């Protein structure tokens, strides 16, 4: 019997191009629950997932912005080898993103001609380069061919039915929906701190033809927490997020999640909306005293969004890491090089230190921190001096006492004969007075 297999798979590979410099596409991948590279058609279940991951170009911080489209479908075994199809239904793409459409055909009973497997729109017009589409033969053999259809920047008018056909007999079609997204960021005004209201917008406009959208909803998150749970000041109104009397802690990346339900299937998409704030640096200590061979750690109290990148200076010269000096992010991991570590401080490490935070919005530098490095024996020298002084005083006192004692002894020896002569003279005078009388 003739066995014919025709499968079609969509993979979103492209840029989530919003016209914002802070977001770039890091990766896009399609994975199958089947162990093989292609979904099977022998009655098993196929499951595939498409991921978009964006990163912040200011420091490379990965954002939790991932688009997941998860669909599970099963084919029915056909012992008579009729056409087997996987991937029915509607597939979504974001406007200005790049997509790839894969189509493969196999038939062991004929010599498969790669040129016969082509793509058409719903009006039976071949999709060719004049409309921005590129057809590429990825692999082929006498009984198998696999081709792709790509377009770099799909537009809203590209929605509709896409047909993959081998010759005039075997064909398969799906419906492509295009999501047009209007993103409005906001920037915090430091002069109006805690006094101004801000609005973030994530307006998603779907373009689709035959499939019916049963419902759609937009959710807002900050750091994985629903925006309305962050504070009562965060008010969600569909495609808009209002932040009343915004505080500095409200700045940062917000995630807009769009969920669309069509038929019995649903798809979820996420985008990043920025609440920006100029870089600022808090107060720092005026000075620190260290001893030679101590380890030093200084932290730069920087904040802002996009997250500023920190550089350190000593006496106005930028510090370069080496075997003793390391730079690392802060505890949150958001601010690159915010922590300066120097091991085994030396006298040449003393000086005025400062940190600078730079983002695409502004650059700000901290006040200087004076670092003093003392001799590691500096605390010993005063003690030794005191001991020496005490010993000298004791020595002087001992010498003085000895001299005083010796002088006293000499005086006593000289005075004893004089006292004896005086006594004898008084006795002689007394005798003479007695005789005279």
């Amino acid at each position: 019997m003739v066995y014919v297999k025709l499968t079609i798979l969509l993979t979103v590979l492209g840029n989530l191009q919003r016209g914002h410099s802070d977001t770039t596409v890091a990766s896009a991948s399609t994975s199958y629950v089947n162990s093989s590279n292609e979904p099977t058609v022998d009655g098993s279940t196929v499951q595939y997932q498409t991921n978009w991951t964006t990163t912040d170009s200011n420091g490379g911080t990965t954002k939790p912005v991932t688009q997941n489209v998860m669909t599970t479908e099963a084919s029915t075994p056909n012992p008579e080898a009729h056409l087997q199809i996987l991937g029915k239904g509607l597939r979504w793409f974001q406007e200005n993103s790049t997509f790839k459409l894969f189509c493969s055909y196999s038939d062991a009973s004929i010599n498969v001609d790669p040129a016969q497997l082509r793509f058409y729109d719903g009006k039976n017009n071949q999709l060719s380069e004049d409309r921005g589409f590129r057809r590429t033969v990825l692999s082929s053999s006498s009984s198998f061919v696999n081709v792709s259809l790509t377009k770099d920047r799909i537009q809203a008018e590209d929605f509709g039915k896409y047909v993959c056909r081998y010759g005039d007999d075997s064909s398969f079609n799906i419906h492509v929906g295009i999501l047009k997204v209007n993103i409005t960021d906001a920037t915090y005004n430091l002069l109006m701190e805690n006094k101004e209201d801000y609005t973030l917008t994530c307006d998603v406009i779907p373009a689709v033809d035959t499939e019916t959208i049963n419902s759609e909803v937009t959710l807002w998150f900050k750091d994985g927490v629903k925006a309305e749970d962050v504070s009562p000041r965060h008010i969600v109104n569909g495609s808009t997020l209002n932040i009343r009397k915004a505080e500095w802690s409200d700045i940062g990346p917000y995630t807009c999640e769009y969920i669309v339900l069509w038929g019995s299937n649903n798809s979820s998409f996420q985008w990043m909306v920025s609440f920006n704030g100029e870089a600022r640096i808090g107060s720092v200590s005026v000075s620190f005293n260290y001893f030679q061979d101590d380890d030093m750690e200084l932290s730069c109290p920087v904040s802002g969004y996009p997250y500023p990148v920190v550089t350190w200076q000593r006496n106005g010269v930028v510090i370069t890491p080496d075997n003793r000096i390391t730079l690392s992010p802060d505890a949150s991991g958001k601010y690159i090089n915010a922590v300066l570590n120097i091991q085994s401080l030396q006298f040449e490490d003393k000086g005025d230190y400062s940190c600078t935070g730079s983002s695409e919005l502004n650059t700000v530098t901290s006040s200087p921190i004076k670092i003093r490095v003392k001799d590691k024996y500096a605390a010993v020298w005063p003690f030794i001096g005191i001991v020496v002084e005490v010993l000298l005083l004791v020595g002087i006192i001992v010498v003085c006492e000895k001299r005083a004692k010796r002088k006293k002894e000499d005086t006593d020896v000289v005075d004893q004969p004089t006292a004896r002569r005086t006594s004898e003279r008084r006795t002689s005078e007394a005798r003479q007075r007695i005789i005279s009388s």
Side-chain angles (χ1 to χ4, degrees), residues 49-165:
Q49 176 175 341
T50 302
N51 297 311
W52 294 341
T53 303
T54 64
T55 59
D56 187 344
S57 60
N58 295 291
T61 305
T62 300
K63 303 297 182 187
V65 182
T66 301
Q67 177 254 359
N68 295 304
V69 180
M70 187 69 73
T71 305
T72 302
E73 296 166 353
S75 62
T76 303
N78 190 341
E80 297 182 359
H82 291 166
L83 185 65
Q84 303 292 314
I85 297 176
L86 294 176
K88 300 175 182 177
L90 174 67
R91 297 292 176 264
W92 291 101
F93 292 87
Q94 183 184 344
E95 187 180 43
N96 292 321
S97 68
T98 301
F99 82 99
K100 277 190 177 182
L101 180 67
F102 295 97
C103 185
S104 62
Y105 177 81
S106 63
D107 188 346
S109 67
I110 64 172
N111 288 325
V112 174
D113 181 8
Q116 295 295 314
L117 189 60
R118 293 191 173 276
F119 298 90
Y120 302 85
D121 61 18
K123 298 180 181 180
N124 204 31
N125 297 316
Q126 185 173 325
L127 298 171
S128 55
E129 291 188 2
D130 60 343
R131 294 175 59 181
F133 292 94
R134 294 188 303 274
R135 174 185 174 276
T136 304
V137 177
L138 302 177
S139 61
S140 65
S141 66
S142 60
S143 61
F144 173 81
V145 61
N146 183 26
V147 299
S148 67
L149 181 72
T150 62
K151 187 172 185 179
D152 292 334
R153 296 170 63 89
I154 195 167
Q155 299 300 308
E157 58 266 23
D158 293 323
F159 77 92
K161 184 168 71 172
Y162 282 66
V163 180
C164 176
R165 179 185 304 136

Side-chain angles (χ1 to χ4, degrees), residues 141-215:
S141 66
S142 60
S143 61
F144 173 81
V145 61
N146 183 26
V147 299
S148 67
L149 181 72
T150 62
K151 187 172 185 179
D152 292 334
R153 296 170 63 89
I154 195 167
Q155 299 300 308
E157 58 266 23
D158 293 323
F159 77 92
K161 184 168 71 172
Y162 282 66
V163 180
C164 176
R165 179 185 304 136
Y166 184 82
D168 296 327
D169 300 328
S170 302
S171 65
F172 167 66
N173 66 79
I174 64 165
H175 293 273
V176 171
I178 308 299
L179 298 176
K180 184 175 182 179
V181 185
N182 296 319
I183 300 293
T184 303
D185 297 329
T187 300
Y188 191 84
N189 186 351
L190 289 173
L191 298 178
M192 297 293 293
E193 192 163 7
N194 301 341
K195 297 179 180 179
E196 193 168 1
D197 298 340
Y198 298 85
T199 299
L200 305 179
T201 303
C202 178
D203 188 19
V204 183
I205 305 171
V208 64
D209 58 355
T210 61
E211 296 289 338
T212 301
I213 297 178
N214 295 340
S215 65

Side-chain angles (χ1 to χ4, degrees), residues 279-351:
R280 61 194 295 189
I281 295 178
S283 60
V284 296
S285 298
V286 176
S287 64
F288 290 102
N289 295 323
Y290 292 92
F291 290 105
Q292 187 183 19
D293 292 334
D294 281 351
D295 294 338
M296 180 185 75
E297 178 178 293
L298 296 178
S299 296
C300 185
V302 65
S303 59
Y305 187 81
Y307 302 122
V309 176
V310 177
T311 56
W312 288 87
Q313 302 84 33
R314 179 176 59 241
N315 298 328
V317 179
V318 175
I319 297 174
T320 303
D322 57 23
N323 59 338
R324 291 192 307 115
I325 302 174
T326 58
L327 300 174
S328 57
D330 68 333
S332 69
K334 298 176 180 178
Y335 302 99
I336 295 178
N337 300 337
V339 179
L340 169 67
N341 285 278
I342 301 181
Q343 296 180 341
S344 185
L345 283 169
Q346 302 302 313
F347 293 122
E348 60 266 24
D349 294 321
K350 65 183 179 180

